[in-house]
Amino acid sequence: MTGHVLGELGGGGAARMDDNAAIRINVGGFKRRLQSDTLSRFPETRLARLLHCRSKESILELCDDYDDAEKEFYFDRNPALFPYVLNFYNTGRLHVMAELCIFSFSQEIEYWGINEFFIDSCCSSAYHCRKIVQDREDWDERSDEGSTTSSFDELLEFYSDATKFDKQPLGSARRRIWLMLDNPGYSVPSRIISILSILVVLGSIATMCMNSMSEFSLLDGEGQPAEDPRFETVEHFGIGWFTLELLARFVVAPDLLHFFEHPLNAIDLVSILPFYLTLLINLVVESSPALANLGRVAQVLRLMRIFRILKLARHSTGLRSLGATLRNSYKEVGLLLLYLAVGVSFFSVMAYTVEKEDSEDFSTIPACWWWATVSMTTVGYGDVVPVSIAGKLTASACILAGILVVVLPITLIFNKFSLFYKRQKQLEVAMRSCDFDEEIKEVPSVNLRNYYARKVKSLMASLSNMSRSSPSEHSLNESIH
């Protein structure tokens, strides 16, 4: 619909424009008259859709302004790029000059409803190569920005917790103890405490492992297994240290109500809870022999001491980064499990079909699941192996498919791990440079302009992604495919 038709709207008309009629286009000051038959060759583009508008409101959905007097459509776009659009309408092909910014050109043709499918063969290869490089650079830049922005947010949260001590009794002393316990690299005393805590954790795990060895097992007067006094001493010392450490952190915490919401504090509680529950169960069993079965619960609780190794995450940047990666990569992990499930189901049926008559190990499909899982994950225990030629070929395909299935999602997870590790290192460096000898009067020195610019850029990227999924783009893709 054009100004010719708009003139008839007052009388209720809704006529179409003649094929030989022309419309006036103004793109950022670049004015042209375009024939409607030229535009109609590509009905899903933005300019061609103007020909079918039946009201001024529908026209303004496609252009930025419309001049009733001049019968002119105005678009607030880059006039330097519009000649490429005109050339497309005349020739039916897009051409990309080497000096153009690929990102701007891609956005421009998306706005006009022109698909990259129309880029001519002489420019297509160079265009897509440059776009892949640009996308990779954008990904690296977004990763750096996300790392810096997240680190800044966490640093502000850290300072917010530190300022809470100013209005609390003995706030300055409690803040120094809090920094010493929660930030292993903050000062020399904090490093000493961190090293001692690591040694206690490793000693506790080592005694638990050695206690399971026959060389260190002891028997009591009734012939029942008994705890080695040396290991018991190490265990009690470790529990005392872990309990003291947890209580100290709880006492000096800036917010007691939300103390155990922090994952590392919850791990500290879980690491000592089995010991005290075991003591309670033993007391109940001694006082009431009828509850002797509770002793089995105590044995299970003793095995939960292995969770103490998670305490090392407080002293290891890599472990904390790994936890953050797994917490934020549930989609990739789910994708990996889905791929494995599909592969295991497929190859287990294949193995059952070709091996059921030659090997008893492949007598049922559920029995083949174990073999398929071990093969796809490239573990290869060798306890179940095919014997026929067809079975060996199936096993080879299963192993190769397993390598591809595991590698694809792992790459995405590794990229996230690199991001979180970099962010955690930046946060630690910022925390170690903090000085709290006096009351906090201001937040650390940061470049708020860059921080705000990153936030705005992230917002604009989100809006750009929304515009790319507009109905016009969807209809264009559907018409091409």
Side-chain angles (χ1 to χ4, degrees):
M1 183 75 183
T2 63
H4 174 73
V5 179
L6 285 175
E8 302 176 357
L9 290 178
R16 271 183 195 273
M17 190 176 183
D18 296 334
D19 290 339
N20 296 326
I23 63 173
R24 303 180 64 177
I25 302 295
N26 184 343
V27 180
F30 183 88
K31 299 183 178 182
R32 280 292 184 274
R33 293 177 59 89
L34 302 178
Q35 299 296 323
S36 60
D37 56 349
T38 302
L39 302 180
S40 299
R41 295 169 53 199
F42 308 98
E44 296 298 329
T45 59
R46 183 178 291 266
L47 292 179
R49 292 169 60 200
L50 283 173
L51 304 177
H52 305 283
C53 293
R54 299 180 179 275
S55 65
K56 187 171 183 178
E57 289 75 14
S58 60
I59 287 180
L60 293 178
E61 291 178 359
L62 297 175
C63 64
D64 295 298
D65 198 6
Y66 174 74
D67 188 350
D68 289 315
E70 298 292 335
K71 311 298 184 185
E72 185 178 74
F73 301 92
Y74 176 75
F75 297 88
D76 188 12
R77 305 297 296 181
N78 186 357
L81 295 178
F82 190 66
Y84 296 92
V85 178
L86 289 179
N87 183 67
F88 163 75
Y89 281 110
N90 293 325
T91 64
R93 309 301 296 173
L94 279 172
H95 293 274
V96 187
M97 303 300 291
E99 64 272 11
L100 287 179
C101 172
I102 291 298
F103 180 74
S104 298
F105 183 81
S106 176
Q107 283 190 327
E108 195 69 17
I109 61 177
E110 284 182 359
Y111 173 81
W112 294 109
I114 305 172
N115 196 279
E116 295 176 355
F117 173 80
F118 293 106
I119 297 178
D120 206 353
S121 58
C122 61
C123 303
S124 178
S125 178
Y127 171 81
H128 288 292
C129 288
R130 290 174 60 190
K131 190 174 182 182
I132 291 175
V133 173
Q134 182 66 37
D135 289 342
R136 186 180 297 114
E137 293 176 353
D138 290 343
W139 164 258
D140 294 337
E141 183 179 354
R142 288 195 300 269
S143 299
D144 293 340
E145 291 174 0
S147 175
T148 305
T149 301
S150 300
S151 298
F152 180 73
D153 293 337
E154 292 186 14
L155 186 60
L156 287 182
E157 182 180 358
F158 168 73
Y159 263 77
S160 176
D161 290 338
T163 55
K164 295 178 181 179
F165 290 101
D166 293 335
K167 299 180 181 180
Q168 297 177 0
L170 302 175
S172 180
R174 292 178 60 203
R175 180 164 53 216
R176 284 195 295 268
I177 298 175
W178 173 68
L179 291 170
M180 184 173 58
L181 294 176
D182 276 21
N183 297 278
Y186 181 72
S187 61
V188 174
S190 65
R191 292 189 179 95
I192 295 175
I193 294 175
S194 176
I195 293 173
L196 181 58
S197 181
I198 292 174
L199 293 177
V200 173
V201 171
L202 296 179
S204 176
I205 299 299
T207 54
M208 185 186 69
C209 297
M210 295 171 64
N211 194 38
S212 65
M213 300 170 62
S214 59
E215 294 84 349
F216 299 97
S217 61
L218 299 177
L219 300 177
D220 57 13
E222 299 178 356
Q224 298 295 327
E227 187 86 15
D228 191 311
R230 296 169 297 178
F231 296 157
E232 194 171 3
T233 301
V234 175
E235 174 70 10
H236 290 169
F237 175 79
I239 288 296
W241 173 264
F242 298 147
T243 305
L244 177 63
E245 193 178 29
L246 180 61
L247 291 177
R249 285 196 174 93
F250 181 76
V251 170
V252 301
D255 192 348
L256 299 179
L257 296 178
H258 301 88
F259 177 75
F260 288 108
E261 293 181 2
H262 196 286
L264 295 179
N265 295 331
I267 290 174
D268 290 343
L269 178 62
V270 172
S271 65
I272 64 173
L273 201 57
F275 177 81
Y276 292 107
L277 290 178
T278 301
L279 288 181
L280 179 61
I281 291 174
N282 290 337
L283 292 175
V284 172
V285 171
E286 291 177 0
S287 61
S288 178
L291 301 176
N293 290 332
L294 287 177
R296 298 178 180 177
V297 179
Q299 295 178 359
V300 175
L301 291 175
R302 290 174 63 84
L303 296 177
M304 291 180 62
R305 291 182 295 178
I306 193 63
F307 286 109
R308 294 174 189 173
I309 200 170
L310 297 178
K311 288 175 63 66
L312 295 177
R314 188 181 294 275
H315 314 282
S316 171
T317 304
L319 285 178
R320 290 196 300 274
S321 302
L322 178 61
T325 301
L326 294 177
R327 188 170 61 251
N328 292 274
S329 301
Y330 61 92
K331 293 182 179 179
E332 289 80 1
V333 173
L335 187 63
L336 175 61
L337 295 178
L338 176 62
Y339 287 167
L340 287 175
V342 172
V344 167
S345 301
F346 176 79
F347 286 107
S348 61
V349 173
M350 292 288 294
Y352 167 75
T353 303
V354 300
E355 287 287 327
K356 63 180 179 179
E357 297 179 357
D358 299 325
S359 176
E360 295 180 355
D361 295 329
F362 296 87
S363 58
T364 63
I365 292 179
C368 297
W369 288 346
W370 166 253
W371 168 85
T373 303
V374 171
S375 299
M376 287 206 68
T377 55
T378 66
V379 175
Y381 285 119
D383 54 342
V384 180
V385 294
V387 294
S388 65
I389 295 178
K392 292 178 180 179
L393 292 176
T394 301
S396 301
C398 180
I399 294 171
L400 293 176
I403 294 174
L404 296 176
V405 162
V406 171
V407 166
L408 293 177
I410 288 298
T411 304
L412 301 177
I413 297 175
F414 174 76
N415 290 336
K416 283 195 174 183
F417 175 81
S418 301
L419 171 63
F420 283 109
Y421 185 82
K422 182 177 181 180
R423 187 183 74 180
Q424 192 65 37
K425 294 296 289 185
Q426 292 175 341
L427 183 62
E428 289 180 357
V429 171
M431 288 180 176
R432 290 173 187 174
S433 63
C434 299
D435 186 8
F436 295 106
D437 291 337
E438 299 179 357
E439 290 188 356
I440 300 176
K441 297 181 180 179
E442 59 181 5
V443 299
S445 176
V446 292
N447 194 330
L448 292 178
R449 182 185 62 183
N450 291 344
Y451 176 71
Y452 176 75
R454 293 188 187 100
K455 289 291 188 181
V456 172
K457 189 173 182 179
S458 299
L459 175 61
M460 296 303 294
S462 300
L463 294 177
S464 177
N465 291 334
M466 293 174 61
S467 66
R468 292 179 183 180
S469 60
S470 62
S472 62
E473 317 303 341
H474 284 302
S475 59
L476 178 59
N477 292 333
E478 292 174 359
S479 65
I480 291 176
H481 297 291

